[in-house]
Amino acid sequence: MDATMRPLYIPPQMGLYAEKHRLFDMMQEMLKGLLIHKPEQPVDFLINQLKLDSYDVPKICILGPPASGKTTIAMWLCKQLGVPRISPENLLTSSWSALTDKVQEYQRRQQKIPDELWAELIEERLQIEDCLHGGWVMEGLPESRELARAMLSSGIIPKHVVVLYAPDVVLIERNLGKRVDVVTGEVYHTTFDWPADEDTRLLLEAPGDISETETSRRLMEYHHNYPGILQSFGKHMKLINADQPCADVFSQVLTHVQVLPPTLAPFSPRILLCGPPGSGKSLQAALLAQKYGIINVCCGRMLKEAVAVETKLGELIKPYFDSGWPVADNIVVKLLSERLNRLDCHLRGWVLHGFPRDEDQAKLMKRADIHPNRVFFLNLTAETILERLTYRMLDPVTGERYHTLFKPAASKEASDRLLMHPRDTEEAVKLNVEAYSRLSSSLESFFKDGIFINGDQDPQTVFEYIESYIISPLPNPQKSF
């Protein structure tokens, strides 16, 4: 960082490092912990937080009405992710807690356990090493808005809250057929999920609270408490229909919890537009720059400007222009690196088009620390490209561009003076398209996260597709915990 410049110049490499290692999220979590726990020794507290290295571990709540499949989904998730399952039942029957005596006292009196005591019990369980380092799946908690608020006040903040739902008629039918393995705790059903193993069937028992009256009462209680829970966890909640095969429900839940939550870290778009000649890269770049204020970096125009202003790199580029040979890749990458490392590109983001054209150029970009976070491939057929380019014309007087089919000149006088650029002849276009087709497959393989868009559409439609991927807070990649 150069302290002699005002405003301070922050090298782009710092931003790339922070983005790659999610430093902003880490600092946010640490600050959140300080504000919640208010430790007497903040530095020691932060050091301990860093030693835990638990920012990416799963912290999942599975909620839903009775018989929605919470237990089954939670148990399957725990097996898949290798994390402990926390439920009201195993919290109340545990012997590790210093609060066990208090809990048992309420149970003996047949009184409701206070939400504050539940929150303390949960907090104490989450401080055990398996939860601290590995994460957790919490089933059926919180059951009310008051408990949700108590959990949040204690710093128990899940990353994903999955809410299962189904019609009450379906839930009552499910509950009546529920059977539980007294050894493993696995849940089965007399109609939908009856075990094939005879020994397992002998261990099944009907829970004591599955009567229609009791189920209806619990459903009413759930519907009464749900709006309050929604107020507490609304931004984190994912609703999933439980009235479908259990394997399908689990697949949707697993997909959801493996995607990291959207980050609040500052984001500068670094967009790369690839595609054959005539695919509309220049137009889309101009539209993006106009709407979002990002820097439009056209590789060809950048080379011409360097020659025009006679920079040192421009002097190296000029002989290539005079001879008609392509500019050496290392010179292009050096010029590109200088432009993209300016402060405006770092703060506002950039959209690049015209480079790279092949895998070798893409590798040079990577070695120069040029890392786009959105790569779009605009695809067109060769026939469409020929139609777009071979009918393009230029008015040498006004500089206006026309197209014989889509945008003809307004007057005969203007039409008569239109000229075609040599690169738009049919022979030249075919050569360029053939060259792109030969090199594009390796380029697409290099950018594995590339987004493919049909470029043979209205330009505004193409822009809307590109825009939808830019404004969404991706790419937080899927994480296998």
Side-chain angles (χ1 to χ4, degrees):
M1 185 179 295
D2 188 350
T4 65
M5 299 182 65
R6 293 292 185 272
L8 294 179
Y9 174 69
I10 303 174
Q13 290 78 7
M14 293 177 62
L16 292 174
Y17 179 85
E19 183 179 303
K20 178 180 179 181
H21 296 282
R22 303 182 65 218
L23 297 187
F24 185 89
D25 298 321
M26 186 184 299
M27 295 300 296
Q28 188 179 36
E29 288 294 321
M30 292 169 65
L31 179 59
K32 186 190 300 179
L34 284 175
L35 295 176
I36 291 173
H37 299 287
K38 301 181 180 65
E40 292 293 332
Q41 301 294 332
V43 175
D44 293 339
F45 175 83
L46 293 178
I47 291 173
N48 290 331
Q49 290 292 104
L50 287 172
K51 287 180 178 178
L52 288 176
D53 190 26
S54 59
Y55 296 106
D56 287 337
V57 299
K59 299 177 180 179
I60 305 164
C61 283
I62 305 295
L63 304 178
S68 57
K70 300 187 297 296
T71 301
T72 301
I73 297 301
M75 293 181 71
W76 289 5
L77 268 182
C78 292
K79 289 180 181 178
Q80 180 72 28
L81 305 179
V83 299
R85 179 175 69 97
I86 299 170
S87 68
E89 291 75 22
N90 59 35
L91 283 174
L92 293 177
T93 57
S94 60
S95 58
W96 47 262
S97 174
L99 301 171
T100 302
D101 292 339
K102 289 185 180 180
V103 172
Q104 290 177 350
E105 183 64 29
Y106 280 100
Q107 288 180 311
R108 279 195 296 269
R109 296 176 184 173
Q110 295 184 346
Q111 294 178 339
K112 179 183 177 184
I113 300 173
D115 293 320
E116 294 76 14
L117 184 55
W118 270 118
E120 290 181 39
L121 198 62
I122 295 170
E123 184 179 11
E124 190 175 352
R125 176 65 183 90
L126 298 186
Q127 294 304 312
I128 297 178
E129 188 174 353
D130 58 348
C131 290
L132 282 176
H133 293 282
W136 41 266
V137 173
M138 194 177 302
E139 171 212 329
L141 293 171
E143 296 180 327
S144 65
R145 180 171 183 263
E146 290 73 21
L147 179 54
R149 290 171 64 88
M151 288 171 56
L152 294 175
S153 299
S154 302
I156 304 170
I157 304 175
K159 294 180 181 177
H160 299 90
V161 180
V162 176
V163 179
L164 306 177
Y165 70 92
D168 286 356
V169 175
V170 173
L171 296 173
I172 292 173
E173 180 186 356
R174 277 190 182 184
N175 213 34
L176 295 177
K178 184 191 296 185
R179 298 294 184 271
V180 178
D181 188 323
V182 295
V183 176
T184 65
E186 290 275 2
V187 178
Y188 296 91
H189 195 277
T190 55
T191 303
F192 308 117
D193 185 23
W194 194 242
D197 181 47
E198 178 66 27
D199 294 335
T200 302
R201 290 200 294 267
L202 294 174
L203 296 173
L204 298 185
E205 292 184 359
D209 57 350
I210 65 170
S211 68
E212 186 171 348
T213 302
E214 178 63 18
T215 303
S216 299
R217 185 193 65 78
R218 292 174 59 200
L219 282 171
M220 289 181 63
E221 183 178 356
Y222 173 82
H223 292 315
H224 173 75
N225 290 325
Y226 175 74
I229 299 173
L230 178 62
Q231 290 179 358
S232 302
F233 293 114
K235 293 182 180 179
H236 301 274
M237 293 173 75
K238 170 72 173 179
L239 298 177
I240 293 180
N241 182 10
D243 189 14
Q244 52 184 321
C246 198
D248 294 342
V249 177
F250 176 70
S251 176
Q252 295 176 43
V253 173
L254 183 62
T255 300
H256 173 65
V257 302
Q258 285 184 322
V259 177
L260 295 174
T263 176
L264 297 176
F267 172 71
S268 295
R270 302 187 300 274
I271 304 165
L272 175 61
L273 298 179
C274 301
S279 57
K281 300 185 295 294
S282 299
L283 174 59
Q284 296 302 325
L287 292 173
L288 289 169
Q290 180 182 15
K291 183 166 184 178
Y292 293 102
I294 57 182
I295 307 302
N296 184 355
V297 182
C298 173
C299 189
R301 186 168 63 242
M302 182 182 61
L303 294 173
K304 294 175 183 176
E305 290 174 354
V307 173
V309 299
E310 298 180 350
T311 63
K312 289 184 179 180
L313 282 175
E315 293 175 1
L316 295 176
I317 295 169
K318 192 173 185 304
Y320 289 96
F321 276 21
D322 295 340
S323 64
W325 287 94
V327 181
D329 291 344
N330 60 331
I331 297 176
V332 177
V333 169
K334 188 170 183 180
L335 184 65
L336 195 60
S337 181
E338 286 184 0
R339 180 65 189 94
L340 299 182
N341 281 343
R342 292 182 194 172
L343 192 59
D344 59 346
C345 284
H346 176 56
L347 296 178
R348 295 162 57 188
W350 46 263
V351 53
L352 170 65
H353 52 107
F355 192 90
R357 299 175 185 272
D358 56 43
E359 184 179 6
D360 292 335
Q361 293 177 347
K363 290 179 178 177
L364 282 176
M365 278 179 54
K366 184 177 181 179
R367 285 198 288 270
D369 281 330
I370 301 173
H371 302 282
N373 51 23
R374 302 287 194 281
V375 180
F376 295 95
F377 289 92
L378 306 180
N379 295 329
L380 269 82
T381 62
E383 293 77 12
T384 303
I385 296 171
L386 284 171
E387 185 181 79
R388 285 189 178 186
L389 298 185
T390 57
Y391 290 95
R392 290 196 308 192
M393 308 292 280
L394 177 68
D395 189 333
V397 176
T398 64
E400 185 76 18
R401 290 183 178 274
Y402 294 95
H403 193 281
T404 306
L405 298 178
F406 306 129
K407 187 185 174 183
S411 64
K412 186 177 184 306
E413 179 184 357
S415 179
D416 291 341
R417 63 174 182 255
L418 296 182
L419 300 175
M420 175 183 285
H421 195 284
R423 67 167 178 251
D424 289 339
T425 62
E426 186 173 343
E427 295 76 12
V429 171
K430 285 183 177 180
L431 287 175
N432 288 333
V433 171
E434 183 183 348
Y436 176 82
S437 300
R438 188 171 61 252
L439 301 171
S440 61
S441 59
S442 61
L443 191 62
E444 292 170 2
S445 300
F446 183 82
F447 293 112
K448 293 183 173 60
D449 295 328
I451 300 163
F452 297 87
I453 295 178
N454 178 15
D456 191 10
Q457 304 178 83
D458 177 82
Q460 191 60 38
T461 302
V462 175
F463 175 72
E464 289 174 0
Y465 273 109
I466 295 175
E467 185 180 32
S468 68
Y469 284 101
I470 293 171
I471 63 176
S472 299
L474 61 98
N476 262 344
Q478 284 199 345
K479 180 179 180 63
S480 296
F481 295 110

